[in-house]
Amino acid sequence: MTEADSKDELTPAADRAEQGENFAQMLDAEGAPPAPTTSEVAVGDEVSGVIVKVEDENSFVEYGSRDEAIIRTSELKGPDGEMRYKVGDPIAAFVVATGDELLLSRGLSRQDVQADLLYQAYKAGLPVEGRVDAVNKGGLGVTIEGDVRGFCPISHVDTQYVENAEEYRGQTLTFKIIEFRHQGRVIVLSRRALLEAEQDKAAGAVRSQLKKGAQLEGKVTRLESFGAFVDLGSGVEGLVHVSEISHRRVGHPQEVLEVGQQVQVAVLRTKDLGQRRKERISLSIKALEKDPWQEIKEQFAVGTVVTGKVDGLEDFGAFVELAKGVRGLVHVSEIADRRISHPREVLSLEEEVKVVVLEVDVRRQRLRLSISQVDALESETHLAEFRQRQQQEQEAEQGSSAMLEALRRANLTD
């Protein structure tokens, strides 16, 4: 039993009520030194006031210019659990917290002071350091500010799923207090909140570079049938659609890319930057590569006859590969001189065939080919070549005759 409790037992209730009235009058007496206000007190200060309300968990003390502070009702009871104070009684106590509410205690402990500092850190969002000294499947037990206990749920340990929390045991880490309850008896921590804040700051710098046409380096993080996801840094991720991976046809991104690969990309467009779930960043790899179709147009000019390999058969026609990454379509009507229902009636995969280039569409990156017109074109070509050779021979013969006549006139030959 404390000295204050002993005095309380010896003081009749009527006397305590009278003391309360006298104490209240003393606080309001003219010329009395002004009592501290909420903004003037600090943790550790002793405050005198009058109990104005008693409830089950907390009681209220009026002090200063009718400011109120809170004290735990349990501190107004004696060892036997009986109340030692009532409304109107004067009381002196120490300040243990000065946040939104002024908290008092009749016995100021070191832990109370530490809890107040942590409360201030909680309200201001300031980081605190703590040592991990307990681990279970639910999270980490952390000691902060010497001997104040806190808990970090497993989902708040990192920005990614933590499979084995044991690796954090014994480490001193930085956390953010996300819950502070029961005057610091329940403190919930988050390391993820700080990591995300740092990541968001760095991500902002990355997003500021995302202008149309901007060139950046990124790392492939995931491959799907529709495209490749690329991390541009600090968690900012964009998508390279399968059609933007290469100038040549790509069936699946895994044909040309692999997870972890560093790639150069160009920004095509962005939408809702900074809005996590809505953010869309469209990228292109092929935009930074030389367009081979300019060379294809010259290499496979209209009218050129070339040998290729059948690499696809569809209802509407056959795809023929002319060179690596260069393929064109032979429509079903251009495959044979007779009508066929499906290309497989006359063609098979991997078969080598002669085709003639009918059209080169650079914009749409398409080649239109024909098999049925090859013979006719080759015949025309041969005929044209024959006539050209005849003409060249005639011109040569005429030139030779003219030269011989000139030599005769000059009496240089018989």
Side-chain angles (χ1 to χ4, degrees), residues 221-381:
T221 57
R222 187 156 48 102
L223 297 174
E224 301 290 348
S225 60
F226 52 84
F229 289 92
V230 176
D231 184 357
L232 302 175
S234 303
V236 179
E237 199 170 65
L239 172 67
V240 181
H241 190 268
V242 64
S243 63
E244 291 293 333
I245 292 177
S246 175
H247 287 286
R248 66 183 181 88
R249 181 180 176 275
V250 177
H252 193 289
Q254 65 188 11
E255 296 176 7
V256 291
L257 297 173
E258 58 184 28
V259 174
Q261 180 179 344
Q262 294 291 130
V263 292
Q264 294 290 329
V265 295
V267 179
L268 297 181
R269 54 191 170 275
T270 61
K271 182 180 180 182
D272 297 325
L273 285 180
Q275 300 183 35
R276 294 181 182 276
R277 294 184 179 276
K278 294 183 178 180
E279 183 173 82
R280 297 290 183 272
I281 302 170
S282 298
L283 307 171
S284 175
I285 294 176
K286 76 176 186 181
L288 300 180
E289 299 176 347
K290 183 179 180 181
D291 186 355
W293 279 86
Q294 296 302 325
E295 296 180 0
I296 289 172
K297 185 177 181 180
E298 298 176 3
Q299 183 179 358
F300 302 103
V302 174
T304 303
V305 176
V306 62
T307 300
K309 184 183 295 184
V310 177
D311 72 348
L313 296 173
E314 303 291 344
D315 293 341
F316 52 84
F319 288 99
V320 177
E321 185 179 51
L322 306 183
K324 185 177 180 181
V326 181
R327 66 201 302 255
L329 173 67
V330 182
H331 191 268
V332 66
S333 63
E334 293 288 342
I335 292 178
D337 293 330
R338 60 186 176 85
R339 184 181 181 278
I340 59 174
S341 299
H342 196 283
R344 72 168 65 95
E345 293 179 21
V346 293
L347 296 175
S348 58
L349 290 175
E350 301 298 316
E351 178 183 352
E352 287 194 351
V353 294
K354 276 187 176 183
V355 295
V356 59
V357 180
L358 300 181
E359 181 184 2
V360 182
D361 189 338
V362 175
R363 185 180 65 83
R364 300 168 67 189
Q365 297 187 351
R366 293 180 180 178
L367 281 172
R368 190 162 64 88
L369 311 173
S370 175
I371 295 176
S372 62
Q373 296 187 46
V374 170
D375 291 340
L377 185 65
E378 284 188 327
S379 297
E380 290 178 4
T381 302

Side-chain angles (χ1 to χ4, degrees), residues 30-155:
E30 186 176 354
T37 64
T38 303
S39 60
E40 294 175 342
V41 297
V43 175
D45 289 350
E46 186 175 13
V47 173
S48 297
V50 177
I51 297 174
V52 293
K53 189 176 183 180
V54 177
E55 296 182 345
D56 291 341
E57 291 189 6
N58 296 318
S59 295
F60 297 85
V61 177
E62 186 179 280
Y63 73 98
S65 302
R66 298 192 179 279
D67 288 326
E68 285 189 356
I70 297 175
I71 188 170
R72 289 192 289 269
T73 300
S74 60
E75 293 202 43
L76 304 182
K77 298 178 180 180
D80 56 1
E82 296 295 325
M83 287 294 295
R84 293 292 183 261
Y85 289 85
K86 64 179 182 59
V87 174
D89 286 352
I91 189 172
F94 296 95
V95 177
V96 295
T98 59
D100 295 337
E101 300 169 331
L102 191 70
L103 303 180
L104 304 177
S105 175
R106 293 179 62 202
L108 183 66
S109 68
R110 181 167 177 263
Q111 185 170 353
D112 289 327
V113 176
Q114 292 167 338
D116 176 71
L117 294 175
L118 294 175
Y119 180 75
Q120 300 300 329
Y122 164 66
K123 296 301 292 183
L126 299 175
V128 297
E129 280 193 350
R131 179 180 173 81
V132 179
D133 50 21
V135 176
N136 59 43
K137 64 180 181 180
L140 311 177
V142 183
T143 299
I144 44 181
E145 289 294 329
D147 55 5
V148 179
R149 298 289 296 167
F151 177 72
C152 179
I154 195 71
S155 61

